[in-house]
């Protein structure tokens, strides 16, 4: 198993550009989520999905869109990049969060800089 | 809503000593709590979790304690090793089926040889 994979690893955008961060998992997990991590801070939830076709907003959803057309993939789209979106982005997946011991697996992250 | 905070941003311990990392949360309805370890340049790694119907849960060299009365969570690491050096985050899951998760800011643990 590859686990959770994210592409690209690094990206530089200009203000106003759009792009899609890719996330895929091969563990047949129902639950997938996107977080951002700013320097010296914990992770903040952007969007999450509890299964194909179902998405919901997290703590900081503005400026981001998601879709979940398959169980495996959960792309994050930046509609019009802003310098405030400079951050490290992590994708994560798990079977669900309803049961104790249900580990959430994180990808290696995408470091995004918006100029 | 929910806010999650840690008492100390940094913690330095001697190799072999026990480490205790603390976390406070604000929402008394929070039901599910997780500790993560993050090494430099990597994504967080699950350590241990606990539900609100428990006070204590043990893993390999780690113990999580939950005090719902004061809304406090702690992670104890026994016989701390240099490989334990990392940033540790507590996370609190909100919402039905615990799908909305909030993280604390993290405690950087440094283990001195």
């Amino acid at each position: 198993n590859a686990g959770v994979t994210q592409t690209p690893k690094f990206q530089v955008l200009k203000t106003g550009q759009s792009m899609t961060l890719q996330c895929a998992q091969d563990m047949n997990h129902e639950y997938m989520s996107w977080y951002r991590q700013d320097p010296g801070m914990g992770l903040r939830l952007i969007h999450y999905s509890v299964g194909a076709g179902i998405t919901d907003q997290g703590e900081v959803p503005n400026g981001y869109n998601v879709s979940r057309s398959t169980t495996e993939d959960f792309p994050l789209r930046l509609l019009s990049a802003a310098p405030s979106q400079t951050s490290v982005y992590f994708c994560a997946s798990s079977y669900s969060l309803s049961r104790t011991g249900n580990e959430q697996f994180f990808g290696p992250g995408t470091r995004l800089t918006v100029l | 809503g929910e806010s999650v905070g840690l008492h100390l941003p940094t913690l330095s311990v001697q190799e072999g000593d026990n480490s205790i990392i603390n976390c406070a949360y604000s929402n008394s309805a929070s039901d599910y709590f997780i500790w993560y370890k993050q090494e430099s340049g990597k994504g967080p790694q699950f350590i241990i979790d606990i539900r609100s119907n428990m006070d204590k849960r043990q893993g390999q060299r780690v113990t999580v304690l939950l005090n719902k009365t004061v809304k406090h969570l702690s992670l104890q690491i026994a016989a701390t090793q240099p490989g334990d050096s990392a940033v540790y985050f507590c996370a609190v899951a909100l919402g039905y089926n615990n799908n909305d998760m909030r993280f604390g800011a993290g405690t950087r643990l440094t283990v001195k040889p």
Side-chain angles (χ1 to χ4, degrees):
Chain A
N1 286 351
V4 180
T5 58
Q6 292 183 237
T7 56
K9 285 187 167 49
F10 301 94
Q11 183 70 50
V12 178
L13 293 178
K14 294 181 180 178
T15 297
Q17 287 185 314
S18 63
M19 80 158 295
T20 299
L21 278 63
Q22 302 292 342
C23 174
Q25 52 90 9
D26 60 358
M27 297 173 280
N28 201 30
H29 285 168
E30 299 172 351
Y31 180 87
M32 296 186 74
S33 55
W34 276 102
Y35 296 87
R36 61 176 288 173
Q37 184 174 32
D38 299 313
M41 295 180 66
L43 282 73
R44 290 185 292 170
L45 182 65
I46 304 172
H47 286 284
Y48 63 92
S49 168
V50 300
I54 306 170
T55 64
D56 207 344
Q57 296 181 350
E59 186 181 359
V60 289
N62 292 341
Y64 307 95
N65 273 357
V66 292
S67 60
R68 184 94 179 270
S69 56
T70 67
T71 299
E72 294 78 19
D73 300 298
F74 191 43
L76 177 72
R77 281 183 288 278
L78 278 71
L79 309 173
S80 178
S84 61
Q85 294 179 304
T86 294
S87 189
V88 180
Y89 291 84
F90 289 101
C91 179
S93 76
S94 67
Y95 283 110
S96 75
L97 284 183
S98 301
R99 300 188 301 273
T100 305
N102 195 13
E103 180 175 351
Q104 185 168 211
F105 294 87
F106 283 81
T110 295
R111 186 174 296 274
L112 175 68
T113 302
V114 183
L115 303 175
Chain B
E2 171 69 272
S3 66
V4 182
L6 283 163
H7 294 279
L8 288 175
T10 61
L11 176 65
S12 182
V13 301
Q14 207 69 35
E15 182 178 358
D17 287 351
N18 296 336
S19 304
I20 300 176
I21 301 172
N22 296 303
C23 181
Y25 62 97
S26 64
N27 192 334
S28 57
S30 297
D31 181 55
Y32 180 59
F33 309 86
I34 312 102
W35 281 101
Y36 289 95
K37 173 185 180 182
Q38 187 176 30
E39 296 173 314
S40 181
K42 296 183 179 180
Q45 179 183 7
F46 174 95
I47 301 173
I48 192 168
D49 59 359
I50 190 168
R51 294 293 296 266
S52 61
N53 61 351
M54 302 173 71
D55 297 324
K56 178 180 179 180
R57 194 155 185 257
Q58 289 183 290
Q60 190 176 11
R61 282 201 306 118
V62 294
T63 300
V64 55
L65 298 177
L66 176 63
N67 186 331
K68 295 180 287 295
T69 302
V70 295
K71 297 195 281 291
H72 182 270
L73 187 69
S74 69
L75 176 70
Q76 300 178 2
I77 305 174
T80 313
Q81 302 168 359
D84 295 326
S85 293
V87 178
Y88 290 81
F89 295 97
C90 66
V92 179
L94 305 173
Y96 182 71
N97 274 338
N98 300 321
N99 289 317
D100 186 353
M101 191 174 292
R102 304 294 166 94
F103 280 70
T107 290
R108 179 173 296 279
L109 174 66
T110 301
V111 182
K112 297 178 289 187

